[in-house]
C-alpha cells in the first residue's frame, strides 16, 4: 500500500498517457467536482470530448475553472495527460498565483497495457501510435518534477501500485 499525502489546500496534477487510468483513478479517489478534466472542458466548448481543434479553448476553460476553485480554497485535481512541461508549468503558475501547493501524481503503466485498454474502448478515435509517443514523454524521475515546482511528487509505475493507493489529505 502506497500512502499518498496531498495538501488539502492544493492542486493535484495527474500525469499519464491516454489509457493510463487517470479518469478511473480520479473517480475512485476524488469527488466529482474536485476533478476538472480536459475531456469535460472539450465537451463543454465543442460538444465533443475528442475534438483536438478545441484544445486551446478547452484548456482556457480548464485553467479558468481551476483558478476559480483555487481562489475559493477548493481542493482541485486536473485530469489531463499533462505530459508537456508547458502544460504543467501553467498549472504550477496557477497554484502559485493562489498560494496553494501543487502536487504531481504520475500514473505510468506499460505501453502494452495502455494499448490494450485503448483497443477495448470505442470512445477514442485515434491510433495506438499516439500512446507510444505519449509514453516516451512520461516523466521518469521525481527530481525533474520537483525542479519544475511540484512540492509533492508520486510516481506510480505499475498497475498494482496504482491499485494499492491510499490517499491522505493533509492540513
Ligand atoms: N481501465 C481498466 N483498469 C484500470 C483502469 C482503467 O480497465 N485499472 C480501463 C477503463 O475502464 C477505460 C480505459 O481503461 O476503459 C482507460 O482508463 P481511463 O481511466 O479512462 O484512462 P485515462 O488515463 O483517463 O485515459 P484518457 O487520457 O484517454 O482520458
Ligand atoms: Mg480520461
Amino acid at each position: 500500500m502506497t500512502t499518498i499525502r496531498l495538501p488539502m489546500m492544493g492542486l493535484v496534477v495527474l500525469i499519464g498517457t491516454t489509457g493510463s487510468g487517470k479518469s478511473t483513478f480520479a473517480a475512485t479517489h476524488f469527488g466529482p467536482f474536485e476533478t476538472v478534466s480536459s475531456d469535460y472542458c472539450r465537451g463543454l466548448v465543442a460538444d465533443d470530448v475528442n475534438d483536438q481543434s478545441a484544445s486551446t479553448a478547452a484548456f482556457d476553460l480548464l485553467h479558468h475553472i481551476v483558478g476559480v476553485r483555487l481562489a475559493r480554497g477548493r481542493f482541485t485535481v486536473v485530469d489531463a495527460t499533462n505530459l508537456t512541461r508547458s502544460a504543467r508549468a501553467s498549472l504550477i503558475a496557477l497554484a502559485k498565483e493562489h498560494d496553494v501547493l501543487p502536487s504531481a501524481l504520475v500514473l505510468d503503466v506499460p505501453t502494452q497495457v495502455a494499448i490494450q485498454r485503448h483497443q477495448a474502448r470505442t470512445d477514442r478515435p485515434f491510433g495506438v501510435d499516439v500512446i507510444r509517443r505519449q509514453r516516451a514523454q512520461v516523466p521518469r524521475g521525481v527530481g525533474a518534477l520537483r525542479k519544475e515546482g511540484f512540492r509533492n511528487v508520486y510516481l506510480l509505475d505499475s498497475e498494482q501500485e496504482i491499485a494499492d493507493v491510499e490517499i491522505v489529505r493533509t492540513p
Side-chain angles (χ1 to χ4, degrees):
M1 176 76 81
T2 306
T3 300
I4 293 182
R5 294 176 192 283
L6 300 171
M8 218 145 27
M9 294 299 264
L11 176 66
V12 179
V13 176
L14 300 181
I15 301 170
T17 67
T18 184
S20 60
K22 300 177 299 296
S23 301
T24 303
F25 186 90
T28 305
H29 295 287
F30 308 115
F33 298 112
E34 288 178 337
T35 304
V36 184
S37 88
S38 53
D39 274 353
Y40 186 71
C41 291
R42 273 199 201 86
L44 287 174
V45 302
D47 295 312
D48 178 358
V49 301
N50 288 305
D51 185 347
Q52 300 302 312
S53 77
S55 288
T56 302
F59 278 96
D60 278 353
L61 179 60
L62 182 141
H63 291 147
H64 182 69
I65 296 170
V66 169
V68 172
R69 287 185 57 88
L70 295 184
R72 304 192 74 256
R74 308 313 302 171
F75 176 87
T76 301
V77 179
V78 177
D79 175 8
T81 55
N82 294 312
L83 289 169
T84 64
R85 186 184 256 273
S86 70
R88 298 189 292 268
S90 55
L91 295 170
I92 290 166
L94 268 174
K96 285 215 172 103
E97 196 181 310
H98 296 285
D99 220 11
V100 304
L101 296 177
S103 303
L105 230 162
V106 181
L107 305 190
D108 192 21
V109 298
T111 307
Q112 275 316 313
V113 170
I115 287 176
Q116 270 165 23
R117 289 177 182 170
H118 181 75
Q119 286 168 336
R121 288 170 94 175
T122 52
D123 61 331
R124 284 286 189 260
F126 48 80
V128 297
D129 284 358
V130 170
I131 298 177
R132 292 204 182 86
R133 275 201 300 277
Q134 288 182 345
R135 181 88 199 290
Q137 292 182 287
V138 175
R140 289 289 142 69
V142 170
L145 289 168
R146 283 246 170 79
K147 241 187 196 154
E148 288 181 25
F150 289 107
R151 182 65 69 89
N152 309 288
V153 177
Y154 291 94
L155 299 180
L156 303 171
D157 58 9
S158 70
E159 283 183 89
Q160 197 56 45
E161 240 196 306
I162 293 167
D164 288 344
V165 155
E166 166 198 47
I167 304 231
V168 175
R169 297 190 192 190
T170 57

